Amino acid sequence: MITMRICLITEGSYPYVTGGVSSWAQSLLTQLPQHEFIILSISAKKENTKKRKYKAPANLVEVYDIHLDSFLSEEIVSGKRYNITAEEKQAFSSLIGGDEINWPILFDLLVSERIDSILNF
């Protein structure tokens, strides 16, 4: 029985680099089979994520790769405006200001199709 879905942010290490954080992440996944895991792997360059070094355990549901160099090819549209609610604006202000963050509001906005580019936003 799956009791929880957990997202790990691995800064490009797991599952592409052996040792250190990657070993810890693999151990965590294999030692907690009752939970599902999603990996958010952030790396500097797409070429850093060519081959996985670890066999994915059954409870690893998805691996999302974010490559920071992909933003270099995006075109910034100067002066673009986004219509966000007061509640969404407050959630972003809290994120930057260190106050208690309304994560559901923030996540809902970020996964909505209302923001076409994080650079423009």
Side-chain angles (χ1 to χ4, degrees):
M1 180 171 116
I2 300 298
T3 58
M4 191 180 330
R5 182 172 279 189
I6 301 166
C7 178
L8 293 179
I9 301 172
T10 62
E11 299 182 67
S13 59
Y14 183 83
Y16 305 107
V17 178
T18 57
V21 170
S22 293
S23 295
W24 172 83
Q26 181 74 4
S27 178
L28 185 68
L29 272 65
T30 56
Q31 296 299 313
L32 297 173
Q34 72 275 24
H35 301 299
E36 289 184 338
F37 286 87
I38 297 171
I39 300 295
L40 181 60
S41 177
I42 303 171
S43 62
K45 298 178 181 178
K46 186 173 185 169
E47 62 201 36
N48 294 345
T49 59
K50 290 182 180 175
K51 185 178 178 193
R52 293 183 180 185
K53 306 287 185 179
Y54 291 88
K55 183 179 181 202
N59 60 337
L60 178 56
V61 178
E62 293 183 70
V63 176
Y64 291 101
D65 295 308
I66 296 176
H67 308 106
L68 299 179
D69 64 344
S70 66
F71 293 107
L72 297 175
S73 62
E74 278 193 37
E75 184 176 323
I76 298 174
V77 178
S78 180
K80 184 152 185 166
R81 294 197 159 283
Y82 292 88
N83 187 19
I84 63 173
T85 67
E87 193 174 33
E88 292 165 340
K89 185 176 181 178
Q90 178 59 43
F92 270 105
S93 295
S94 297
L95 178 66
I96 295 167
D99 298 328
E100 187 171 334
I101 302 163
N102 187 337
W103 289 109
I105 293 294
L106 201 55
F107 290 147
D108 286 346
L109 174 62
L110 292 174
V111 299
S112 75
E113 294 183 8
R114 295 172 37 214
I115 297 175
D116 60 345
S117 164
I118 199 67
L119 290 178
N120 290 332
F121 183 70

